[in-house]
Amino acid sequence: EPNGHFPHNPEPLPENLTEIAKVVKEKQADLGIVTDPDVDRLCFVNEDGTMFGEEYTLVAVADYVLKHTKGNTVSNLSSTRALRDVTELQGGTYNAAAVGEVNVVTKMKETNAVIGGEGNGGVIYPELHYGRDALVGIALFLTHLAKENTSISQLKASYPEYFISKNKIELQPVMDIDALLSKVEEKYKEQPYSTIDGLKIEFGKEWVHLRRSNTEPIIRIYSESRSEEAANALANKLIGDMKKILGI
């Protein structure tokens, strides 16, 4: 109903997409397409009603663009490593930016990236304009699917499989969060890491990203690995490290 109230949370997350998943299966559709209300986030539903995964929207679109236009890519620090894998496979260079569309765009301009975006389904295609745009993402994705002459689930299966776990640790307002992150950085200084936006540490093809909240005394913990169990284990390892440093 056009009354200003959504019947459910309009974020294109799996828990909010049960209706379209059901209709895709009932109608035997080739795929389902979902955007958020301002049409800058994009995700797809596989023909069997499962989720393609919003993290993989940019991966698939980038795969198509890079096959036809050699170049570099950018996403934010909390997005899947699969984009880096696909980019390097096509001979390009991947760069990470701080979280936030403006940061991604700035890094894209610096590195002359041909495609970029954010892992929440945000596709930025400079050939059109420097902004997240689900409509250009849909056009590129459907073209890719048609040219590959494959099903959407088979396309997803062709990409490296990663899982992102999202956790947080709540702290006391009096705690010095910057000092805490500095101590974690010191502990893992032998690993590749970045401090452009909180602290991101890489462990081979796994990573963990610690970001402090601007509004409450918490640290958000994003971790990625080849499975849900491994991603959760990595997050718990860092949570344990921080509790040990804090003596809690």
Side-chain angles (χ1 to χ4, degrees):
E1 297 295 329
N3 57 13
H5 299 289
F6 293 105
H8 61 72
N9 182 333
E11 272 197 289
L13 299 172
E15 58 266 29
N16 302 327
L17 304 180
T18 53
E19 284 293 313
I20 187 170
K22 185 175 155 194
V23 173
V24 166
K25 285 180 73 177
E26 281 177 359
K27 303 296 183 184
Q28 298 184 323
D30 294 306
L31 74 162
I33 302 171
V34 183
T35 74
D36 65 342
D38 57 347
V39 202
D40 62 3
R41 289 174 63 180
L42 169 65
C43 65
F44 296 94
V45 182
N46 297 332
E47 72 278 7
D48 61 359
T50 60
M51 297 297 130
F52 189 80
E54 62 176 353
E55 284 286 338
Y56 281 83
T57 297
L58 177 58
V59 175
V61 170
D63 182 34
Y64 172 71
V65 170
L66 292 169
K67 280 178 176 172
H68 297 84
T69 311
K70 295 301 180 188
N72 305 323
T73 64
V74 174
S75 66
N76 68 40
L77 287 166
S78 291
S79 298
T80 180
R81 187 199 155 89
L83 178 62
R84 177 176 172 177
D85 291 352
V86 166
T87 304
E88 292 176 350
L89 192 64
Q90 299 289 351
T93 300
Y94 165 80
N95 285 280
V99 174
E101 184 176 3
V102 66
N103 299 316
V104 173
V105 168
T106 300
K107 181 61 74 173
M108 287 179 70
K109 290 178 178 178
E110 282 174 12
T111 58
N112 200 27
V114 295
I115 187 75
E118 297 188 285
N120 62 4
V123 174
I124 301 171
Y125 187 47
E127 188 75 17
L128 187 67
H129 65 91
Y130 276 107
R132 290 182 304 170
D133 189 331
L135 296 179
V136 72
I138 291 167
L140 292 168
F141 188 93
L142 292 179
T143 305
H144 186 31
L145 202 59
K147 286 185 178 291
E148 292 293 316
N149 193 26
T150 188
S151 71
I152 183 172
S153 59
Q154 288 172 325
L155 182 67
K156 170 67 184 294
S158 72
Y159 298 124
E161 188 174 357
Y162 292 103
F163 183 90
I164 292 180
S165 176
K166 298 179 181 180
N167 298 274
K168 64 182 178 181
I169 181 171
E170 296 188 16
L171 306 169
Q172 297 300 319
V174 294
M175 289 177 176
D176 188 336
I177 295 177
D178 291 333
L180 172 60
L181 292 178
S182 292
K183 286 177 181 173
V184 176
E185 179 187 334
E186 175 64 24
K187 179 177 172 64
Y188 291 102
K189 62 184 179 184
E190 301 303 318
Q191 301 295 132
Y193 70 91
S194 168
T195 56
I196 61 171
D197 183 6
L199 175 63
K200 180 174 182 177
I201 310 164
E202 294 182 39
F203 302 91
K205 292 202 168 188
E206 295 183 317
W207 56 261
V208 63
H209 186 198
L210 311 176
R211 294 185 73 228
R212 64 176 297 164
S213 167
N214 292 325
T215 56
E216 47 190 334
I218 64 172
I219 293 177
R220 300 191 189 281
I221 303 151
Y222 304 88
S223 55
E224 182 176 61
S225 188
R226 294 290 191 161
S227 70
E228 182 175 3
E229 293 75 21
N232 287 333
L234 185 58
N236 289 330
K237 174 179 165 64
L238 269 292
I239 290 171
D241 289 337
M242 287 188 282
K243 286 184 174 179
K244 190 173 179 182
I245 290 168
L246 294 168
I248 58 176

